[in-house]
């Protein structure tokens, strides 16, 4: 009960946007999350894993975040972007599942057309993804993309981009939660 109560409080805080990571205590949050055994409820486990990833992101463990995403969400590729505070451009920090050596930098003006939320995950459907200029495509043919905005102290912002497994697939409400 004690550790589970602590984990539940950490999770509830994350859902309110005030995680231990958000208050500068990401290492403590990760220790709490890592002490919890797998949770039988798949929806809660998905949210719990998301909180753990956000804490790792806040610590700069972006490679671990990107590596963990495929075990949570089915997708063909994952890219972690970090927004440059001076230019507003999105710079790839790490990726998994792409044949490119490095995904392209996304200019701020292009990103602003597709970034529909700074707080909640959202989906860019395939038809909308086709509007992205080809030099910024991550794969040969556009797919739906799940975008999970992430922010951390002090005024840092980025996003995880998960591409759908194929051109016919998309992401459900469960993935966005």
């Amino acid at each position: 009960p004690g550790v589970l109560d602590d984990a539940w409080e950490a999770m509830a805080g994350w859902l309110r946007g005030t995680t231990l990571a958000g208050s500068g205590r990401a290492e403590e949050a990760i220790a709490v999350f890592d002490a919890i055994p797998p949770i039988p409820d798949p929806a809660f486990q998905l949210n719990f894993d998301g909180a753990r990833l956000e804490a790792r992101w806040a610590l700069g463990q972006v490679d671990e975040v990107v590596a963990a995403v495929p075990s949570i969400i089915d997708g063909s590729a994952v890219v972690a972007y970090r927004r440059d505070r001076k230019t507003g451009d999105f710079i790839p920090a790490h990726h998994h599942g792409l044949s490119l050596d490095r995904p392209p930098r996304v200019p701020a003006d292009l990103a602003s057309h597709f970034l529909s939320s700074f707080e909640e995950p959202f989906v860019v459907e395939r038809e909308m993804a086709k509007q992205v200029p080809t030099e910024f495509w991550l794969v040969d043919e556009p797919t739906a993309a799940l975008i999970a905005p992430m922010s951390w102290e002090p005024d840092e912002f980025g996003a995880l981009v998960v591409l759908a497994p194929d051109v016919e697939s998309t992401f459900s409400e469960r993935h966005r939660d």
Side-chain angles (χ1 to χ4, degrees):
V3 173
L4 288 176
D5 290 344
D6 290 345
W8 177 252
E9 285 305 312
M11 188 68 218
W14 177 72
L15 292 171
R16 289 188 310 269
T18 57
T19 63
L20 295 173
S23 65
R25 295 167 47 200
E27 289 178 358
E28 183 179 337
I30 289 172
V32 170
F33 295 146
D34 287 346
I36 304 302
I39 299 163
D41 179 349
F44 182 76
Q45 183 67 49
L46 185 64
N47 286 331
F48 183 77
D49 289 341
R52 184 189 331 238
L53 292 182
E54 188 165 328
R56 289 197 185 288
W57 181 281
L59 279 177
Q61 299 172 349
V62 179
D63 56 337
E64 292 180 31
V65 172
V66 170
V69 169
S71 68
I72 301 170
I73 299 172
D74 186 25
S76 63
V78 181
V79 182
Y81 286 96
R82 201 174 192 139
R83 185 174 60 186
D84 182 301
R85 283 196 268 178
K86 291 181 182 173
T87 66
D89 292 354
F90 282 79
I91 302 164
H94 198 74
H95 65 88
H96 173 78
L98 295 176
S99 60
L100 305 171
D101 287 335
R102 186 132 181 114
R105 180 182 191 120
V106 178
D109 59 336
L110 177 61
S112 69
H113 291 300
F114 298 93
L115 193 59
S116 65
S117 173
F118 287 93
E119 296 174 9
E120 299 295 323
F122 60 94
V123 174
V124 173
E125 295 296 348
R126 182 172 189 264
E127 290 306 311
M128 183 179 240
K130 286 180 179 179
Q131 298 173 22
V132 174
T134 57
E135 64 265 28
F136 299 103
W137 287 7
L138 298 173
V139 291
D140 292 339
E141 196 172 346
T143 66
L146 175 64
I147 315 293
M150 300 185 115
S151 55
W152 60 99
E153 295 181 308
D155 303 328
E156 294 284 340
F157 182 74
L160 281 176
V161 176
V162 182
L163 300 180
D166 55 61
V167 296
E168 302 300 320
S169 299
T170 191
F171 295 97
S172 68
E173 279 296 317
R174 184 182 73 85
H175 294 110
R176 293 173 217 179
D177 292 338

